[in-house]
Amino acid sequence: MQGILQLQWADPPRALHGRALAAPQLDVWLETGPGQRMPLDVAQSRRAAGDLYALANRHVAVSYRAPATKVMSSSSARAVIDTIVPTGRVPQRATSVGADGRVMAAAPVLGATRWVTLMCKFADIESEQKPRAYFQEQYGNAPGQLGHYWSEVSYGQVNLAGSTAHGWYTLPQPRAAYLTTTNGKQKAQLSTLFADCAAAADAEVDFRNIQGVNLMFNGELDGNAWGGGACATLDGVYTCTRVTWSPPWSFANLAPLAHEMGHGYGLPHSDNSDGDSDTYDNPWDLMSDAWRNATSDTTYGLLPKHINMYQRERLGWLPASRKRTIAADNRETQEFVLDAASLVQTTHAQMVVLAMPSQPDPYKTVIYTLEARRRTGTYEAKLAGDAVIIHKLEDYGIAHSVDRDVPAATLSSNEGSMLKAGGRWNTPDDLHWVEVVSATANGFVVRVGPRPRSMSSPAPVLVRPAMVAASSSPPVSQPPRVTPVAAAADRARRRGCDVLPRALRLQAVCALMER
């Protein structure tokens, strides 16, 4: 099957005090033609694609294989997704393997990324929470606005130039018509919402060369905000693009809106290392917990934190000069300055990759990354602390912040998640060790070394020869002088035990004869 791969993430609002946050959702679709969509199994898609997130909004081919066993009671066994590969133009880096053993599959997102905001009202809801000017100003370049945020996070690699806001437009149907019930839960019909909202705006909006569409609705959807991609007719052409869907609680704060735009750029959720099913428990990362440890603005609500360094590298935002890779077979202790991730201009490293042994499937190769975070600036001032943060990359590209506490904390804003001056950490197999030597004005001095070598037997002691006077030829060592009497006595002692049969050459008997 061939088509355009669409990923859609659902994110719930901030949990009320004392209540658990709702579980995230990820839907995977293959758009095979206008209005023709086929759902794909998420777990199978991850395994089959390797880096599923790098293929979002791209033309792909999906191949299937017959299941290994068939259940006799079922009428037919469902085929299993075997491989998902891109069929369109593949960026050069999509086929290369980095020095750390990973496949560099993500396509860079660079330059002008123009977004269009469409504000749409349900037919049965009249309220308009914000004016058009509010949404237009969200794209501004002043600190605390989306244009400034994405430029800072990308080190100037992307901008939102030309982004515009339009509306409010009235949808043709009431809110209930855009909801279905699946397994007892309401589910927003995202493609229909996109199609109807775009159709209402199509006459006055220029959709050419857009990066994506931010949809704003004046009522609740299904309890979630959504981000990812979808397809609709734009300017008379059926187009698949990046899309976000925001209810009022989402667009009232830039943090969740930026989180959904991150999904639009192709970024998955991040996580921490406690092993539970909650992906929203890493407050160091916008793509995990958008709400905690966030700064705020009187106009735009909670502001977005930065994303982790690995995700910036995926999108081509990290200059090669700011990345340092420690090989899996490293045998040297290395010391260097690691500057804060929020520093826009620097000549020092901002991401360190600790490579691990390569796996036969390079997509399953695990690596660790180091990045420095400092409480400074418009977006990072309320972080839990100033520290080096460690991430483990696994699960086909998911970044897990590492917690040194045992057991790991539920929320990774604890001391165990922060490596500070004087702190030391080893990779689980002791292949690498990391030590934060000291803090600097913009980051930390970090030392990385290899696992100590072990030897099967002690090495001989190295004895340096004493200095001798120079001569025309090297001195020749002479054996110690032995007198004739001493030599005769030694021969007599040796003959004493030798004359006995082998069976009687006991240690005690020989000792008596050699006196």
Side-chain angles (χ1 to χ4, degrees):
M1 301 290 294
Q2 295 192 33
I4 297 177
L5 186 71
Q6 299 290 345
L7 309 182
Q8 296 170 349
W9 284 268
D11 296 296
R14 186 174 189 173
L16 298 176
H17 182 69
R19 296 179 59 183
L21 197 64
Q25 302 175 50
L26 172 61
D27 293 341
V28 182
W29 303 89
L30 185 67
E31 190 92 8
T32 58
Q36 300 176 4
R37 300 163 60 241
M38 180 173 64
L40 302 180
D41 181 88
V42 176
Q44 293 180 19
S45 297
R46 283 196 180 107
R47 290 192 299 267
D51 191 336
L52 180 70
Y53 318 111
L55 300 179
N57 299 305
R58 292 170 63 181
H59 289 270
V60 300
V62 181
S63 65
Y64 294 83
R65 58 179 168 81
T69 59
K70 294 185 177 182
V71 181
M72 299 304 295
S73 59
S74 62
S75 58
S76 62
R78 182 171 296 180
V80 177
I81 299 174
D82 183 61
T83 306
I84 302 178
V85 296
T87 58
R89 180 177 177 270
V90 181
Q92 181 179 359
R93 65 181 291 189
T95 56
S96 63
V97 178
D100 49 31
R102 291 175 300 137
V103 175
M104 306 297 289
V109 178
L110 305 171
T113 58
R114 185 170 75 92
W115 288 76
V116 169
T117 290
L118 303 181
M119 305 127 62
C120 287
K121 302 190 297 184
F122 293 108
D124 57 340
I125 301 177
E126 287 296 325
S127 58
E128 298 176 0
Q129 288 82 1
K130 300 287 185 181
R132 177 183 176 184
Y134 169 83
F135 295 102
Q136 182 63 56
E137 290 168 1
Q138 285 183 325
Y139 290 126
N141 293 314
Q145 297 177 319
L146 287 172
H148 181 272
Y149 170 77
W150 286 113
S151 178
E152 179 174 300
V153 167
S154 68
Y155 306 121
Q157 297 291 331
V158 300
N159 63 75
L160 303 187
S163 297
T164 54
H166 308 270
W168 292 83
Y169 304 104
T170 301
L171 295 170
Q173 300 185 78
R175 173 179 173 271
Y178 295 99
L179 297 172
T180 60
T181 301
T182 303
N183 298 324
K185 295 183 178 180
Q186 285 189 329
K187 185 73 173 290
Q189 298 303 289
L190 302 180
S191 291
T192 305
L193 283 167
F194 179 33
D196 285 357
C197 191
D202 192 61
E204 64 180 41
V205 178
D206 181 5
F207 291 104
R208 290 175 297 177
N209 301 317
I210 60 170
Q211 178 74 23
V213 177
N214 287 317
L215 301 174
M216 311 297 177
F217 298 96
N218 69 336
E220 186 61 80
L221 301 177
D222 53 10
N224 298 292
W226 290 79
C231 306
T233 299
L234 306 176
D235 290 337
V237 179
Y238 193 72
T239 304
C240 295
T241 187
R242 310 169 199 271
V243 185
T244 71
W245 296 257
S246 291
W249 57 261
S250 178
F251 62 66
N253 296 278
L254 278 194
L257 177 55
H259 177 105
E260 302 310 329
M261 290 179 70
H263 288 318
Y265 283 125
L267 299 179
H269 281 137
S270 300
D271 204 341
N272 72 352
S273 57
D274 63 359
D276 64 16
S277 60
D278 180 10
T279 190
Y280 303 109
D281 46 14
N282 177 7
W284 297 101
D285 195 335
L286 171 73
M287 296 312 297
S288 175
D289 185 352
W291 302 97
R292 297 183 182 94
N293 296 353
T295 59
S296 61
D297 181 87
T298 55
T299 302
Y300 303 111
L302 293 179
L303 300 181
K305 299 180 293 287
H306 285 192
I307 60 179
N308 68 69
M309 294 301 298
Y310 169 73
Q311 302 294 16
R312 299 187 218 216
E313 186 204 18
R314 283 176 60 88
L315 298 179
W317 297 346
L318 181 66
S321 61
R322 303 190 197 179
K323 174 184 173 183
R324 191 182 189 115
T325 299
I326 309 298
D329 59 354
N330 172 55
R331 289 293 178 264
E332 298 178 351
T333 297
Q334 304 182 37
E335 184 174 298
F336 46 85
V337 174
L338 181 65
D339 271 345
S342 55
L343 202 61
V344 176
Q345 297 291 338
T346 180
T347 58
H348 296 130
Q350 287 181 294
M351 181 175 79
V352 177
V353 175
L354 305 179
M356 305 297 284
S358 298
Q359 302 300 312
D361 179 356
Y363 287 107
K364 294 183 180 180
T365 296
V366 173
I367 66 168
Y368 291 88
T369 65
L370 310 177
E371 64 183 69
R373 304 293 285 273
R374 299 295 297 265
R375 291 170 292 184
T376 185
T378 303
Y379 310 104
E380 302 274 89
K382 288 194 174 181
L383 294 177
D386 301 337
V388 172
I389 309 302
I390 306 165
H391 286 92
K392 180 181 182 181
L393 276 297
E394 59 181 352
D395 296 340
Y396 302 98
I398 302 299
H400 299 256
S401 66
V402 173
D403 187 350
R404 293 174 296 147
D405 288 349
V406 180
T410 301
L411 190 67
S412 65
S413 58
N414 60 318
E415 287 294 321
S417 70
M418 296 182 273
L419 199 60
K420 298 180 179 180
R424 186 167 173 139
W425 174 80
N426 291 10
T427 56
D429 61 357
D430 292 326
L431 193 63
H432 305 281
W433 56 262
V434 178
E435 179 183 5
V436 178
V437 179
S438 61
T440 68
N442 295 314
F444 299 89
V445 176
V446 176
R447 189 178 293 145
V448 178
R451 173 173 51 195
R453 298 187 185 184
S454 61
M455 304 184 69
S456 57
S457 61
V461 177
L462 176 63
V463 180
R464 297 188 180 276
M467 297 297 294
V468 297
S471 64
S472 58
S473 60
V476 179
S477 59
Q478 298 294 334
R481 179 180 175 85
V482 181
T483 64
V485 175
D490 182 67
R491 288 194 297 271
R493 283 194 300 270
R494 293 180 180 278
R495 283 199 305 268
C497 199
D498 291 343
V499 298
L500 296 176
R502 185 177 298 275
L504 297 178
R505 296 178 189 175
L506 302 178
Q507 184 176 1
V509 176
C510 293
L512 290 173
M513 295 183 68
E514 292 175 359
R515 286 183 179 178

